[in-house]
Amino acid sequence: MKKIIYQIIRLLLFAIFKIFFRIKINGRENLPDQGGVIIMSNHISAYDPPLLAAIFSRPVRFMAKKELFENPILRFVLFLADAFPVDRSTNDITAVKKSLSVIKNGEVLGLFPEGTRRPEGKLGNPKAGSVMLAIKSGAPVLPVGIKNVKKDGRITVNIGKPFGLEQFAKKRMSKEERKEASQFIKAKIQKELNYQE
């Protein structure tokens, strides 16, 4: 039943974004039809999670800051979305294990690797936790660039080809290698933000 409700809400959200934000999507076919995958997107507004949930036919599981679960209404919405909490003030091992479980179960995990919202056009560096999660899971990463949310009233979402991080997969990574992996992910997202038809 929850899955049916999720899809109904997803379609309603898509209609809202289509009508009021004239949403334009490039590359939606790049999401694999099955198997665990991580969506990594820039984060510029509160619209981003429902936006990503709306545009993909596969359900997207989000890791959300634990403070959001303290609001009864938001907690219910997050329950319907199958989101799970993360404590951003510490290394939340429980949230990491849950994320790996989502991917192992062949589901779609949605992450905003910058860790917080940033102004459009100022893409931040992915946090170490997001980078290590992507590497450890071995799942393909789908880069997404969200643009124009507050500029001309038309949201554009560019979805790139999935990529892997096999070259960084080793038991121990130096600080420099972690930084290199972070910049590699950032460049993939930046490419979608610079996408030109």
Side-chain angles (χ1 to χ4, degrees), residues 7 24 39 56 60 67 73 124-125 129 147 150 175 177:
Q7 289 297 341
K24 181 178 182 182
I39 293 174
F56 292 112
V60 182
E67 291 81 5
I73 296 174
N125 293 320
K147 302 169 65 174
K150 296 180 180 177
K175 184 177 179 180
E177 286 170 327

Side-chain angles (χ1 to χ4, degrees), residues 157-171:
V157 183
N158 298 320
I159 305 161
K161 299 280 187 183
F163 65 91
L165 294 163
E166 298 86 0
Q167 66 270 41
F168 301 105
K170 56 175 68 175
K171 288 187 177 180

Side-chain angles (χ1 to χ4, degrees), residues 15-23 153-154:
I16 290 170
F17 280 115
K18 194 73 174 175
I19 295 169
F20 294 101
F21 295 93
R22 298 181 297 130
I23 185 173
R154 176 173 190 156

